[in-house]
Amino acid sequence: MIPRVLVVAGLDPSGGAGLAADLEALAAVRARGWAVATALTAQGPRGARGVAPTTEAFLRLQIDALLEGRERPRAVKTGMLGTAGLARALAARLGEPPLARVPLVVDPVLLASSGAPLLDAGEASPGEALAPLLARARLATPNLPELAALTGLEVADDEAAVRAARMLPARAVLVKGGHRAGAPVDLLVEGRRVTRFTGRRRAGTARGTGCRLASAIAGLLAGGASLEEAVRGGKRVVERYLDRVR
């Protein structure tokens, strides 16, 4: 059977990021998605104009409705969550049957590409707001600015990035290297083990690469791949996407 992945993220009507990009990436790894919206966004070629988060009750209602049949997701991926309250509500629901043992990939989306904030943490820090969700995660996929915001540490080099990654409560952390100078190098941190994935920087820019990477990884995990296999496969999906849109 084609594996099913539950995706919880914001809706980008342009299709460049968010749920539309997630479903496209899942299809690229021969998985299918259930799309649960945390927020509606007003976005276009010139960036994000506004965000309207859903309610915690309606977020749960979307998930519960999908689980009324016999089919069950074999992985969960989260993206933009909108508010700390939605993050807490989602973490609580994922801790209940039948989702409690399903692998979770958390893409900790904090800002839009335009710089617009996509997580209202309230009085908490971003790390505190997402801590309950990260504690359930098989993998978190922050880029360097997100890792710094989540931990409060400077991540100027690989050694600092690895130290910061080990502070997150997720079982493993993939530190994305797109924001670093030179060739992009991603670091998969699993306890004491660190695996480096070196890529080739493409010309131009494209939105939604983080969405696509995390979703492709979740789809491959749902199909039975190991974490390292899923990361390598997810990177190939993103590379093909960049080669197509540049």
Side-chain angles (χ1 to χ4, degrees):
M1 293 180 61
I2 298 175
R4 177 74 71 176
V5 177
L6 174 64
V7 182
V8 185
L11 176 63
D12 175 358
S14 75
L19 289 172
D22 293 324
L23 296 180
E24 185 177 297
L26 287 172
V29 296
R30 299 186 179 181
R32 294 184 296 174
W34 277 336
V36 170
T38 58
L40 301 178
T41 69
Q43 295 191 64
R46 296 186 179 180
R49 301 291 186 87
V51 177
T54 189
T55 65
E56 295 168 28
F58 195 69
L59 175 67
R60 187 181 184 104
L61 188 63
Q62 291 179 77
I63 296 172
D64 290 346
L66 290 169
L67 296 172
E68 286 179 344
R70 293 185 177 182
E71 188 174 12
R72 295 290 181 262
R74 295 174 61 182
V76 178
K77 181 262 181 178
T78 69
M80 172 198 168
L81 297 176
T83 69
L86 287 170
R88 287 193 301 269
L90 179 58
R93 183 61 187 89
L94 295 181
E96 300 170 4
L99 301 173
R101 297 184 180 276
V102 176
L104 169 63
V105 177
V106 175
D107 182 17
V109 178
L110 303 180
L111 296 173
S113 299
S114 62
L118 296 179
L119 177 68
D120 180 0
E123 298 298 320
S125 69
E128 292 168 338
L130 295 183
L133 197 63
L134 290 169
R136 303 203 61 82
R138 177 68 184 88
L139 178 70
T141 62
N143 58 33
L144 289 170
E146 290 165 345
L147 182 61
L150 290 170
T151 61
L153 299 179
E154 293 186 11
V155 289
D157 54 33
D158 287 357
E159 184 177 343
V162 170
R163 282 199 305 271
R166 287 174 174 153
M167 290 182 61
L168 297 181
R171 287 175 58 191
V173 177
L174 180 66
V175 183
K176 297 177 292 191
H179 286 78
R180 63 189 289 161
V185 177
D186 298 343
L187 305 172
L188 178 60
V189 182
E190 303 173 87
R192 293 182 176 274
R193 181 184 179 193
V194 179
T195 306
R196 297 169 62 89
F197 301 86
T198 303
R200 175 174 60 85
R201 192 170 297 281
R202 270 70 172 173
T205 59
R207 294 172 53 240
T209 53
C211 303
R212 288 176 166 84
L213 176 62
S215 290
I217 291 171
L220 291 164
L221 289 175
S226 70
L227 183 58
E228 184 172 337
E229 290 170 340
V231 170
R232 292 190 187 279
K235 287 178 62 63
R236 286 193 293 270
V237 168
V238 173
E239 289 164 356
R240 289 196 294 267
Y241 167 72
L242 290 173
D243 288 338
R244 186 172 75 247
V245 300
R246 64 175 177 166

